Amino acid sequence: MMARSVCSLSGTLKLVFSNRLTRPPPARYGGRHTVTLIPGDGIGPELANHVCELFRFCCVPVDFEVVNVDSSMDSEEDIDNAIMAIRRNGVALKGNIETNHNLPPSYKSRNNLLRTTLDLYANVMHCQSLPGVTTRHRDIDVMIIRENTEGEYSSLEHECSVPGVVECLKIITKTKSLRIADYAFRTARAKGRRLVTAVHKANIMKLGDGLFLECCKEVASGYPEITFDSMIVDNTTMQLVSRPQQFDVMVMPNLYGNIVSNVCAGLVGGPGLVPGANYGEDYAVFETGTRNTGKSMANSNTANPTAMLLASCLLLDHLKLHAYASMIRRAIISTVTETQLHTADLGGQGSTSEVVQSVMNAVQSTGPLTLSI
Amino acid sequence: MAAHTAVLSMSKILNPFWGGRLGNTVKVFGTTLTSHRNKTGNRRDDIPPPAKYGGRHTVTLIPGDGIGPELLNHVREVFRFSCVPVDFEVVHVNSAQESEDDINDAITAIRRNGVALKGNIETKHTMAPSVKSRNNLLRTTLDLYANVMHCQSLPGVQTRHKNIDIMIIRENTEGEYSSLEHESVSGVVESLKIITRVNSLRIAEYAFQLAREKGRKRVTAVHKANIMKLGDGLFLQCCREVASGYPDITFDSMIVDNTTMQLVSQPQQFDVMVMPNLYGNVVSNVCAGLVGGPGLVPGANYGRDYAVFETATRNTGKSIAHRNIANPTAMLLAGCMMLDHLKLYDYATLIRNAILTTMNETRLHTADIGGQGTTSDVVQSIMRIIHSTGPLTSAL
């Protein structure tokens, strides 16, 4: 069993290595990076603008290539252009693209299409309690690693020959489960984490989630310093609302990841605070953790820019512009925690632009060189 | 039409004996019994009358695993003490056995008695995948299509959120729990999630009728139709269709991830929620966590002909079994729901008040809600309160 798993892992690694040789070099010319920017719908465009504004102010050597994706159009041309741009640049920052329920089922979710085509297999969301934000739970520090490409999001559904009966397929594969488990354990090791919890429903979906759990156990055996345990998803959500401090790193299939990450986002203060990242072999796309379109508060200057700004810091870290990333991150955290300038979702009365201004002020007072305000 | 009148006249004859189930059907479904009969035609003829003989009801009791047996013993103790006219027919189900004889016996017993009270039967992951979950088998065979859980904040229990009052109605037989999985290519597993129009209409109808009966104003459908367009799209469509027949009740829908986030920030916004199986599982566990934990909330599984009562979050509680620390509240409240179903309202209210008094006034809490009481302490306290307030009890 061990030998087989090692063989499969080494096989995967060989594939990875060969891919690395053929991966295009990063889009970095004259010291400036080019990053694809997909504004999306709802609050996406205004938040993306604030990110551009902030980057320009801090003289961050990043140029954005803006690609608009029109969610109301039937053709997939827009999203194909976006995917091509991301392939070219390797990195992207995106807002959520709305999926209109009223369009026919053949219209696939644009976000999903992007994730599966670029094989962004790991969605990572780090939920941390921020000191200035009052929440019911304190000291939460959970890292959620969610399989991003298969599971319930396979978009494979059909109405059987019997009308009124729909079958949705949930696909779980050994290779992808091994891959995401490996990613989770590597990340845990890199960040010095002690415990990885696999979330599943293997008592009901014995083959599907059973396979996922088995793969996690296989990978866990290769990381003896990290404790591995598993928990059924219903118990997990209940534990999360009573005692979230017990969790460290969590790895799970797609749908449970969706639910658990939303619960955790709610626990640390809401969708406006947590950034998310989607990592693949060759590409990385950054967005807000809970992927909200925020249609109801679009263009009203009330959205919380923190999540998008922190996502852009994750982007800078990925591009190895760590100094800029920490500078901006420090400024954002100080705005959220010290200056108490909260937007409506956190119970305050600040507007988006006030928060961004405050972040820029904080950067200017501590940073080396900025444009004039 | 002839069938209609024949069935009506039969109901008049059998009325004294039909006490338990028929009356309850009227109560639950709100609209007249006759309209329901018209839908089902002649099938009502073959439903056995309730197992009530000489004024005493017979109820199937399935102890299950983990904390199930001890909690159900306490239920029996309290019922005996309060002189409740219910006799339990105990059926054991061995979860370690591969054969389905045990669970089939249990199902037969429930068909006979019509009502059951059960503990959770463990599903061992280590056994072969062909061994189906016993609980699931029971629910699908008896077609207990509606799982109802009422989460209410109890004044005596300290929680982070207050004033929660949510009724969760979860489709109990299809969805992700179809147990239909296969491995076509090695290393690739397909699990089928089935959504049917018939079952979705049925559960939506149940939800709206229950909401109307309890005077609730709003029903929220929880779904993920942006991703599972056909499946959850069908479910949502069925809910909308049924909603159009209930203009007095507001209907809205919410995607499951947003729902769980709203639940942990502002759970007071929800009233009645209806959803397919898996989301129901997650949402009901979140709500149970919000009101104080798995030891407090009872759950009920209703079918057209049968009703099975259990704890809402269906925990086996293996780690706390036989240590006298489990919280008996959920199981006892499930027993009270069962008594309501059997129309023994006085007993139900008596025991329920005693439980709530113990919880809220005497503050005798078990470890899961932050106290130091043992299970038997709590049960003793309940019995003492029944003794002091109730009409007639056995000696303490």
Side-chain angles (χ1 to χ4, degrees), chain A residues 107 136-137 153 157 164 166-174 201 205-208 234 242 258 262, chain B residues 123 129 131 160-161 177 181 187 189-193 195-197 224 228-231 257 265 281 285:
Chain A
Y107 175 89
R136 292 184 175 85
H137 302 263
Y153 286 49
E157 308 178 278
V166 173
E167 282 183 352
C168 302
L169 276 88
K170 162 179 166 162
I171 316 281
I172 301 274
T173 56
K174 198 171 163 74
K201 189 91 187 142
M205 285 174 266
K206 294 167 185 288
L207 285 186
D234 50 15
S242 12
N258 186 10
N262 273 266
Chain B
T123 309
V131 178
R160 292 184 173 86
H161 301 264
Y177 287 48
E181 303 179 285
V189 173
E190 284 183 352
S191 300
L192 277 90
K193 161 180 167 163
I195 301 274
T196 57
R197 194 176 158 72
K224 188 94 188 143
M228 285 174 265
K229 295 166 185 288
L230 285 186
D257 51 15
S265 16
N281 188 9
N285 273 266

Side-chain angles (χ1 to χ4, degrees), chain B residues 285-299:
Chain B
N285 273 266
V286 173
C287 290
L290 293 174
V291 298
L296 292 180
V297 197

Side-chain angles (χ1 to χ4, degrees), chain B residues 114-339:
Chain B
V115 183
L117 187 62
K118 74 182 272 283
N120 200 43
I121 305 161
E122 191 193 349
T123 309
K124 285 192 170 57
H125 302 192
T126 48
M127 295 177 82
S130 53
V131 178
K132 298 195 189 143
S133 158
R134 299 290 179 244
N135 304 301
N136 200 17
L137 213 49
L138 200 138
R139 290 190 294 263
T140 48
T141 319
L142 295 171
D143 201 25
L144 302 169
Y145 65 90
N147 179 288
V148 180
M149 186 169 128
H150 188 186
C151 289
Q152 267 179 312
S153 293
L154 296 176
V157 180
Q158 248 201 336
T159 50
R160 292 184 173 86
H161 301 264
K162 312 227 185 303
N163 301 329
I164 298 175
D165 192 353
I166 304 174
M167 197 149 233
I168 298 167
I169 294 155
R170 158 190 177 186
E171 211 292 330
N172 217 5
T173 50
E174 58 171 18
E176 297 82 352
Y177 287 48
S178 317
S179 300
L180 292 165
E181 303 179 285
H182 59 269
E183 191 167 358
S184 34
V185 178
S186 152
V188 177
V189 173
E190 284 183 352
S191 300
L192 277 90
K193 161 180 167 163
I194 315 282
I195 301 274
T196 57
R197 194 176 158 72
V198 170
N199 286 348
S200 304
L201 283 172
R202 191 167 65 161
I203 193 67
E205 187 70 40
Y206 186 92
F208 277 90
Q209 279 179 335
L210 194 63
R212 178 174 270 175
E213 184 203 322
K214 305 269 178 190
R216 300 283 196 156
K217 298 276 122 235
R218 212 171 112 229
V219 173
T220 308
V222 178
H223 65 95
K224 188 94 188 143
N226 51 344
I227 299 290
M228 285 174 265
K229 295 166 185 288
L230 285 186
D232 286 349
L234 176 62
F235 180 82
L236 202 56
Q237 201 185 46
C238 294
C239 290
R240 285 204 183 106
E241 271 182 46
V242 173
S244 57
Y246 292 80
D248 50 324
I249 298 175
T250 324
F251 170 73
D252 64 356
S253 64
M254 205 184 262
I255 300 185
V256 62
D257 51 15
N258 192 20
T259 308
T260 44
M261 186 154 58
Q262 298 292 327
L263 273 171
V264 297
S265 16
Q266 216 211 333
Q268 296 80 3
Q269 61 180 296
F270 294 104
D271 194 359
V272 177
M273 300 166 83
V274 63
M275 59 204 89
N277 218 330
L278 183 70
Y279 312 145
N281 188 9
V282 172
V283 167
S284 54
N285 273 266
V286 173
C287 290
L290 293 174
V291 298
L296 292 180
V297 197
N301 304 285
Y302 293 107
R304 205 194 53 160
D305 311 324
Y306 313 108
V308 175
F309 300 88
E310 54 179 351
T311 61
T313 46
R314 304 174 177 163
N315 297 94
T316 323
K318 267 193 308 176
S319 57
I320 50 174
H322 307 299
R323 285 167 48 190
N324 205 16
I325 49 174
N327 195 338
T329 309
M331 197 57 98
L332 288 169
L333 286 173
C336 293
M337 284 180 81
M338 183 191 76
L339 292 174

Side-chain angles (χ1 to χ4, degrees), chain B residues 4-39:
Chain B
H4 172 102
T5 47
V7 151
L8 264 182
S9 57
M10 190 169 77
S11 83
K12 283 196 174 59
I13 295 165
L14 291 176
N15 209 24
F17 300 106
W18 279 77
R21 196 167 310 104
L22 216 57
N24 189 62
T25 316
V26 172
K27 177 174 180 284
V28 166
F29 284 92
T31 50
T32 59
L33 185 61
T34 51
S35 70
H36 193 77
R37 289 243 176 111
N38 278 335
K39 277 190 227 155

Side-chain angles (χ1 to χ4, degrees), chain A residues 123-364:
Chain A
N123 178 286
V124 180
M125 194 165 120
H126 187 187
C127 290
Q128 266 178 312
S129 293
L130 296 175
V133 180
T134 12
T135 51
R136 292 184 175 85
H137 302 263
R138 297 200 206 308
D139 303 324
I140 299 176
D141 193 352
V142 184
M143 194 154 234
I144 298 167
I145 295 161
R146 158 190 178 186
E147 212 292 329
N148 217 5
T149 50
E150 59 170 15
E152 298 82 350
Y153 286 49
S154 317
S155 301
L156 292 166
E157 308 178 278
H158 60 270
E159 189 160 0
C160 305
S161 42
V162 182
V165 178
V166 173
E167 282 183 352
C168 302
L169 276 88
K170 162 179 166 162
I171 316 281
I172 301 274
T173 56
K174 198 171 163 74
T175 34
K176 291 197 181 179
S177 304
L178 283 172
R179 190 168 65 163
I180 192 68
D182 199 55
Y183 185 91
F185 278 90
R186 265 186 292 129
T187 311
R189 180 176 267 176
K191 308 263 181 192
R193 301 281 197 158
R194 305 264 114 243
L195 171 70
V196 172
T197 309
V199 178
H200 65 95
K201 189 91 187 142
N203 52 343
I204 299 291
M205 285 174 266
K206 294 167 185 288
L207 285 186
D209 286 350
L211 176 61
F212 180 82
L213 202 55
E214 210 184 82
C215 293
C216 290
K217 285 189 182 124
E218 270 185 51
V219 174
S221 55
Y223 293 80
E225 80 275 15
I226 298 176
T227 323
F228 170 73
D229 71 353
S230 64
M231 202 184 262
I232 300 185
V233 63
D234 50 15
N235 192 20
T236 308
T237 45
M238 185 154 58
Q239 296 293 327
L240 274 171
V241 297
S242 12
R243 205 167 51 97
Q245 297 82 3
Q246 61 181 297
F247 295 104
D248 194 359
V249 177
M250 301 166 82
V251 62
M252 59 203 88
N254 218 330
L255 183 69
Y256 311 146
N258 186 10
I259 294 171
V260 168
S261 55
N262 273 266
V263 173
C264 289
L267 293 174
V268 299
L273 291 181
V274 197
N278 304 286
Y279 295 107
E281 278 311 323
D282 309 322
Y283 312 109
V285 175
F286 301 88
E287 54 179 351
T288 61
T290 47
R291 303 174 177 163
N292 296 95
T293 324
K295 266 194 305 175
S296 56
M297 36 184 214
N299 303 322
S300 62
N301 205 17
T302 50
N304 195 339
T306 311
M308 193 59 101
L309 294 173
L310 286 173
S312 62
C313 292
L314 288 177
L315 170 81
L316 292 173
D317 272 325
H318 182 84
L319 294 174
K320 305 211 189 307
L321 296 168
H322 299 295
Y324 290 102
S326 354
M327 178 175 83
I328 297 174
R329 193 175 282 125
R330 251 198 318 266
I332 298 169
I333 304 287
S334 76
T335 303
V336 167
T337 64
E338 290 164 36
T339 59
Q340 298 283 312
L341 195 70
H342 286 177
T343 42
D345 62 315
L346 297 174
Q349 280 137 351
S351 67
T352 318
S353 31
E354 280 172 28
V355 175
V356 176
Q357 272 296 312
S358 166
V359 172
M360 295 205 285
N361 286 342
V363 166
Q364 196 185 47

